[in-house]
Amino acid sequence: MRGGPIDLTPFGAVLTGIGTLYWLLVLVALGLVLWKVKAWVAKVVACSVVLIVMVLPVGWRAMDLSQQQAEFKARLAVAMARFEMRCKSAGEKVTRTVENVDGVVWLKWRPVETNYSDQFKLDDPFGKDCTAEECIRLLLRATKGLELDPKKELPHHSGYRFVETRDPRDGVLYRYTLRLDRPSDHDPKWAPSLVRPELDRVVISQTTAHYALTWDDISSREDREHWIAGGSLKVIDQQTNEVIAERVGYMVDQGQGSEAGFRSPWFSAFDTRCPEPRRASDGHAHHDPIATQFSQRVLKPIEGSN
């Protein structure tokens, strides 16, 4: 409720100074009236005019702001009570874990666009820790080009050998794998020693992985009216359609949609979430790869180099 874009610039302090000068001006005006006007009736009238013109609008504005703040606090109290109720169902439920999993199916792609402030778009701002093919990359370990990183300094040395998924851009079913690659020495954009992970994919007619991962936005309309977003990440046995594990979580924007000072409601909500996230030294929540960490605790990848 407080602040605005101008407060993030040096002009915020300037406006504060102008406010102080304004009240000094009011005092000067009253002083001049008392000094220059001789008749007491005229003094009273003149002082009244000064107060009506210069002070009354400020008082109205202060009352308006006070009412807005009271309404905001009441609205936030309702939202936080609902959030605490939702948090009672948050957490991880694991029916069983599986050893030596070679690959998984990623059933639903996450959108590329980041939802910063769309209150009612059900795209799981709580659980979104990756976008599009990035989610697939995070799930994979490199199976080719490992000799380019003998010290294993890069990530992607643990994970699944393959991920199967249907690309929503063309509707085709693919099997993805990951390799380490070093760009050509003739490419001036890259240093000869730089190694990066690259995705490979081949078309397949059907999935072969036993287990699948999928996400869902579980927010209700009333949740979103209070700026609460909830997300679910499930591990599914594709042969029995059994959900063997699920992670549920919620977050709430304590600014209740305020975009003052270039604020992003859903980005700000990331710090008020359940289950309680890991936090940095400054108190902010870490943006951990939830899908990768949770899936690999349930579906433990098989170890190997190919």
Side-chain angles (χ1 to χ4, degrees):
M1 289 297 294
R2 296 179 180 179
I6 197 70
D7 295 318
L8 299 181
T9 71
F11 297 107
V14 173
L15 292 178
T16 300
I18 291 174
T20 302
L21 290 175
Y22 180 82
W23 289 111
L24 289 175
L25 181 61
V26 172
L27 294 175
V28 169
L30 289 173
L32 287 173
V33 167
L34 294 174
W35 180 35
K36 293 291 186 179
V37 179
K38 303 303 181 183
W40 279 106
V41 174
K43 285 180 186 288
V44 171
V45 172
C47 287
S48 299
V49 170
V50 170
L51 293 175
I52 290 172
V53 172
M54 302 185 71
V55 178
L56 189 59
V58 176
W60 284 339
R61 178 58 178 165
M63 291 176 60
D64 184 52
L65 287 175
S66 178
Q67 181 177 355
Q68 289 182 28
Q69 290 176 357
E71 292 173 353
F72 170 78
K73 289 179 179 179
R75 189 166 68 251
L76 179 59
V78 173
M80 294 306 294
R82 185 174 185 84
F83 172 68
E84 291 174 6
M85 178 190 70
R86 286 298 193 198
C87 285
K88 293 178 180 179
S89 62
E92 297 181 0
K93 181 180 180 182
V94 179
T95 303
R96 59 187 170 94
T97 60
V98 184
E99 302 285 340
N100 299 322
V101 176
D102 204 20
V104 296
V105 179
W106 182 240
L107 288 177
K108 183 164 55 175
W109 282 36
R110 289 196 181 275
V112 175
E113 302 79 12
T114 299
N115 181 2
Y116 291 107
S117 58
D118 190 329
Q119 184 174 4
F120 295 102
K121 187 175 182 180
L122 300 179
D123 57 353
D124 187 19
F126 166 82
K128 185 179 178 183
D129 54 5
C130 57
T131 63
E133 286 184 323
E134 179 191 359
C135 298
I136 299 168
R137 188 193 307 275
L138 291 172
L139 291 168
L140 288 166
R141 74 169 187 269
T143 56
K144 296 179 180 178
L146 297 176
E147 70 280 358
L148 298 177
D149 187 30
K151 296 183 179 180
K152 295 186 177 182
E153 295 176 339
L154 291 177
H156 308 297
H157 286 280
S158 64
Y160 305 108
R161 186 174 65 85
F162 66 87
V163 171
E164 296 171 333
T165 185
R166 188 174 300 279
D167 189 334
R169 298 170 296 188
D170 57 17
V172 177
L173 192 61
Y174 294 97
R175 180 180 292 117
Y176 280 82
T177 55
L178 191 69
R179 60 182 164 84
L180 299 182
D181 186 33
R182 181 171 60 202
S184 169
D185 293 353
H186 301 290
D187 187 348
K189 297 180 181 179
W190 300 98
S193 61
L194 182 63
V195 177
R196 64 180 183 230
E198 295 285 356
L199 287 172
D200 291 325
R201 68 181 188 177
V202 295
V203 177
I204 56 176
S205 59
Q206 62 183 12
T207 60
T208 60
H210 191 116
Y211 298 95
L213 306 172
T214 192
W215 62 271
D216 290 290
D217 191 303
I218 57 175
S219 314
S220 68
R221 176 75 184 190
E222 190 172 356
D223 288 335
R224 289 305 184 94
E225 287 174 349
H226 293 91
W227 283 95
I228 297 170
S232 163
L233 180 66
K234 296 177 181 176
V235 181
I236 302 171
D237 184 327
Q238 292 214 112
Q239 293 186 356
T240 64
N241 207 32
E242 173 193 5
V243 177
I244 68 170
E246 183 178 14
R247 186 184 194 277
V248 171
Y250 292 90
M251 65 183 185
V252 61
D253 175 31
Q254 295 197 63
Q256 291 296 281
S258 171
E259 296 183 37
F262 303 110
R263 186 179 182 277
S264 163
W266 289 130
F267 186 82
S268 299
F270 193 84
D271 281 331
T272 311
R273 54 198 280 124
C274 60
E276 178 66 21
R278 286 194 314 120
R279 295 193 179 273
S281 57
D282 61 2
H284 291 298
H286 278 286
H287 289 254
D288 291 324
I290 297 173
T292 304
Q293 295 177 351
F294 178 65
S295 65
Q296 292 189 12
R297 286 200 304 273
V298 178
L299 305 176
K300 303 178 186 301
I302 190 171
E303 296 183 0
S305 59
N306 54 43

